[in-house]
Amino acid sequence: MKMRILNWLLLPIGLMAGCQNQEAAPTGAAKGIPGQAWWKEGIIYQIYPRSFKDSDGDGVGDLRGIIEKLDYIERLGVTMVWLNPIYASPNADNGYDISDYRAIMQEFGSMEDFDELLAGLHSRGIRFVMDVVVNHSSDEHEWFVQSRSSRDNPYRDYYHWWPAEKGKPNYRYSLFDPKGEAWKYDSLTDAYYLHYFAQKQPDLKWENPKVRQEVYDIMKFWAEKGVDGFRLDAFQYVSKDTTFPKLPEGYEKEVIKYYGMGPGLHGYLKEMNREVLSQYDVFVVSEGAGSSFEDAHSLVDADRNELQMAYHFEGMDVGNSLDGYTLAEFKSVYSRWDSAFAKKGWLSIFLANHDVPRMVSKFGDDRPAYRAASSKMLNTFILSMRGTPYCYYGDELGMTNIGFDSIQQYQDIAARNGYQKALSEGRDMEQFLKELKFLSRDNGRTPMQWDSSRHAGFTTGTPWLPVNENHAQINVAAQEESPNSCLNYFRQMAQLRKSHLFLTYGDYQLLLPADEQVYAYTRTLEGEGALVLLNFSAAEAAAPLDKLPGFEERPLINNYPGLQVDASFITLKPYQAVLLPLK
């Protein structure tokens, strides 16, 4: 059999990718692509601030730690940074319980630190995305302190209260409550308050126009400081039917249908757009996109004058069990969403965030023999799909799940309270802990692995969450020195995306839909494009040439040093990822 090995060694593509003024103009930039926008062409790097870099030795990451690493962030080639909440907070849910929306959490630093961070990002051509958590506040926010003090307090109607004399309100589910109950009795005024999340996170009453104005004023405060975008946490839940009727039997199978996308949501978003978003050069993405494509389009289509970008969770539902997932299932989710948004609206593309396990442990293969290749392959997927990519800190290194064995090791309120709920329900606790070990949010929150020293160079103190023991092998310092590392591959892939607009705006066509190992697709725009081949398995995989379009033999990028092609097949090595220019 005649065989040829394509062994083009890809030169590093602009390792100073973040230096905007040194980059070549991307292909297609001058072609007047309809709907072009900076936030569509961005690459977002999500940082969990508690876990990125600790500058003062207290074991908690902070703003000055991020400032220390701005050059590193710039060299990644990302164009935006999204920080999880940094506001003043009692930390019942790691900052998602906010007690002052105009102050910085003391653990993270000061407002002066924030201003310096923002200026440092902007001077490097990197924009900043602020997390806005306004479905609920902390119970220690002054609004709630006032609200619960008496029934006739001016702030009473800032939250959802149900007077006890009316009887117990109809059941509502709480994600973080030990009993799953969203109504909490408060004896001070003999009433129940609503909390879709933890008891210390009472839901704000968006039906009150004063609450909405408070939120818009907060967003204006940060926009005036120069923030470039907002991520709205749990926003699809803000609108409620305040009569709180009994939910129909079987509602649990369609929770979002009954808890999300409430009756006033679109009105609130249109109002937010008029009051805030249209007044500044910012973009806004909302966590969650409803329960259907129609819901998602109604939130983000340009003619709706609401939000700019959909952030759907269906992809995160893939593989949420110890049984793993099938590639067919994975392809189906991402292909259906791309098709639904091919002509209108805009999507986010991501495989990890602060609420899910590490990307390589869930979707790739974190065994030492395959971790690097599968990490590169997954980053190739994120950075070659249509939509704005979100890359989670540490995934550029191939950081893995930490794998706690006992409930005492967990810090996350969802894990701890979920454990108590499972106990009370008589569940198989050994099985529960196995699932938690794999799926826990703490897996994705362990400290960034900077070097092989004690605590991975994250802190000189005791880290708030243990550092993964594999930091001796997986760390920035080691990967900086290796041209074939996950880190340097990520930089190359980020630069490739920015250099070729067909990877942002181009059409997507799925190939080999029934193949159980290979995810193959093309990205094309105005006569330019690439064939993307991703082997999602730990075995070699053959892609038949007669099912593929014509391609040039020199790869745009390849996570292995060569590509094996014969007369009939391209044979991909385990977890190989390659982009080939189309003829």
Side-chain angles (χ1 to χ4, degrees):
M1 181 185 292
K2 184 179 178 183
M3 181 180 292
R4 62 192 187 279
I5 302 293
L6 309 183
N7 197 29
W8 303 102
L9 295 180
L10 188 70
L11 295 173
I13 308 176
L15 293 188
M16 292 302 291
C19 299
Q20 308 281 321
N21 59 352
Q22 295 182 16
E23 293 177 7
T27 307
K31 296 185 180 180
I33 297 167
Q36 268 189 272
W38 62 263
W39 43 269
K40 293 180 180 179
E41 295 168 21
I43 299 172
I44 297 177
Y45 187 60
Q46 182 190 351
I47 293 175
Y48 200 66
R50 295 181 68 80
S51 300
F52 196 64
K53 182 67 172 74
D54 171 24
S55 70
D56 59 9
D58 67 354
V60 176
D62 48 45
L63 298 183
R64 296 225 63 83
I66 300 171
I67 291 167
E68 286 178 15
K69 298 299 183 180
L70 284 175
D71 288 344
Y72 171 81
I73 296 168
E74 179 182 22
R75 291 188 65 215
L76 288 176
V78 299
T79 64
M80 287 187 264
V81 164
W82 157 31
L83 288 191
N84 292 92
I86 54 175
Y87 312 93
S89 167
N91 266 332
D93 183 23
N94 284 2
Y96 280 91
D97 49 317
I98 296 167
S99 55
D100 188 341
Y101 290 92
R102 289 180 175 85
I104 302 296
M105 191 188 304
Q106 194 170 353
E107 282 183 316
F108 290 155
S110 65
M111 189 63 78
E112 289 72 26
D113 294 329
F114 173 81
D115 292 339
E116 184 179 339
L117 171 61
L118 188 61
L121 288 167
H122 285 169
S123 71
R124 290 166 172 81
I126 301 171
R127 301 186 191 239
F128 181 80
V129 181
M130 195 86 175
D131 216 321
V132 178
V133 187
V134 286
N135 173 71
H136 47 265
S137 74
S138 166
D139 65 349
E140 296 182 33
H141 195 292
E142 185 60 25
W143 297 341
F144 190 74
V145 173
Q146 293 291 331
S147 184
R148 72 184 291 247
S149 66
S150 70
R151 290 192 178 188
D152 58 1
N153 187 279
Y155 287 93
R156 184 67 170 185
D157 207 33
Y158 273 44
Y159 297 86
H160 296 278
W161 289 98
W162 185 276
E165 63 267 21
K166 288 175 63 176
K168 192 172 182 180
N170 286 314
Y171 177 78
R172 290 295 183 270
Y173 175 70
S174 167
L175 284 86
F176 295 167
D177 189 77
K179 296 180 180 177
E181 290 271 4
W183 288 105
K184 170 70 173 172
Y185 178 70
D186 188 63
S187 61
L188 197 61
T189 57
D190 191 30
Y192 298 85
Y193 69 85
L194 186 72
H195 60 93
Y196 274 4
F197 292 85
Q199 292 180 10
K200 287 183 68 62
Q201 294 170 293
D203 281 31
L204 286 159
K205 189 174 181 179
W206 272 74
E207 290 70 23
N208 181 351
K210 291 181 180 177
V211 169
R212 302 200 299 273
Q213 197 57 55
E214 296 269 20
V215 172
Y216 305 152
D217 288 347
I218 289 163
M219 294 176 75
K220 289 175 186 176
F221 170 83
W222 292 104
E224 290 290 339
K225 277 188 164 288
V227 164
D228 304 289
F230 298 103
R231 179 257 188 189
L232 302 179
D233 177 73
F235 199 78
Q236 62 180 326
Y237 299 125
V238 299
S239 175
K240 279 95 170 171
D241 178 344
T242 56
T243 65
F244 296 105
K246 187 174 181 179
L247 297 179
E249 195 169 331
Y251 77 90
E252 303 92 344
K253 298 172 185 173
E254 297 180 280
V255 168
I256 298 302
K257 179 178 177 181
Y258 294 100
Y259 283 80
M261 305 297 291
L265 184 67
H266 291 298
Y268 304 156
L269 285 172
K270 289 180 186 299
E271 184 179 63
M272 179 189 290
N273 192 296
R274 289 193 305 271
E275 292 264 344
V276 185
L277 310 184
S278 62
Q279 307 302 313
Y280 301 91
D281 183 21
V282 295
F283 92 96
V284 181
V285 58
S286 176
E287 181 186 32
S291 57
S292 66
F293 295 142
E294 291 75 20
D295 281 349
H297 274 294
S298 71
L299 290 168
V300 302
D301 285 356
D303 57 7
R304 297 285 302 180
N305 294 315
E306 295 185 27
L307 306 175
Q308 283 79 37
M309 194 185 297
Y311 190 96
H312 73 86
F313 284 142
E314 192 173 354
M316 293 299 93
D317 292 338
V318 173
N320 273 349
S321 77
L322 297 176
D323 297 327
Y325 68 99
T326 66
L327 184 57
E329 177 182 16
F330 189 93
K331 290 180 187 179
S332 173
V333 168
Y334 287 97
S335 297
R336 285 188 293 103
W337 277 90
D338 182 89
S339 176
F341 280 74
K343 303 299 181 187
K344 203 174 184 183
W346 197 252
L347 290 175
S348 309
I349 295 294
F350 62 99
L351 289 176
N353 59 36
H354 60 289
D355 283 332
V356 295
R358 278 290 169 186
M359 174 178 82
V360 71
S361 296
K362 183 179 182 186
F363 295 110
D365 191 330
D366 62 10
R367 292 176 294 176
Y370 302 113
R371 180 195 56 79
S374 63
S375 294
K376 294 174 185 178
M377 184 272 292
L378 293 170
N379 277 321
T380 307
F381 169 74
I382 295 170
L383 290 165
S384 65
M385 285 290 283
R386 177 160 42 190
T388 300
Y390 288 65
C391 307
Y392 190 56
Y393 86 96
D395 283 347
E396 72 272 24
L397 306 176
M399 282 177 59
T400 68
N401 279 2
I402 191 166
F404 291 146
D405 291 310
S406 85
I407 193 62
Q408 286 74 29
Q409 293 172 286
Y410 291 91
Q411 294 289 329
D412 182 26
I413 190 172
R416 288 174 172 269
N417 287 355
Y419 182 84
Q420 293 302 319
K421 186 172 186 287
L423 263 180
S424 68
E425 292 171 348
R427 287 184 55 184
D428 179 339
M429 297 311 294
E430 183 179 352
Q431 180 67 17
F432 177 87
L433 284 172
K434 280 183 184 176
E435 293 172 358
L436 193 62
K437 183 175 185 175
F438 177 52
L439 295 170
S440 167
R441 305 194 304 177
D442 277 345
N443 282 312
R445 298 177 178 187
T446 58
M448 180 71 170
Q449 295 166 200
W450 295 104
D451 57 41
S452 60
S453 67
R454 189 166 181 259
H455 304 321
F458 165 70
T459 182
T460 57
T462 302
W464 77 278
L465 201 61
V467 173
N468 197 314
E469 290 181 1
N470 64 18
H471 76 274
Q473 294 78 42
I474 305 170
N475 63 72
V476 172
Q479 295 195 23
E480 287 279 11
E481 302 302 316
S482 171
N484 296 319
S485 67
C486 293
L487 174 59
N488 282 315
Y489 183 88
F490 180 91
R491 290 166 170 161
Q492 294 168 25
M493 190 63 213
Q495 181 57 42
L496 187 69
R497 183 178 181 88
K498 291 191 292 185
S499 300
H500 295 281
L501 284 185
F502 63 75
L503 291 175
T504 299
Y505 297 108
D507 289 338
Y508 162 94
Q509 182 179 356
L510 177 66
L511 308 170
L512 311 179
D515 196 296
E516 296 178 355
Q517 291 175 275
V518 179
Y519 192 169
Y521 50 92
T522 56
R523 301 297 318 284
T524 55
L525 178 69
E526 298 179 348
E528 298 177 282
L531 168 64
V532 183
L533 297 173
L534 308 171
N535 182 0
F536 269 70
S537 78
E540 285 194 346
L545 292 178
D546 62 354
K547 302 291 185 183
L548 303 176
F551 57 86
E552 303 288 347
E553 294 188 350
R554 181 167 183 162
L556 292 169
I557 197 166
N558 185 357
N559 68 344
Y560 277 84
L563 184 66
Q564 182 177 317
V565 181
D566 62 29
S568 302
F569 296 97
I570 295 177
T571 301
L572 300 173
K573 290 181 169 55
Y575 298 107
Q576 186 162 11
V578 61
L579 268 68
L580 298 163
L582 293 175
K583 285 184 176 177

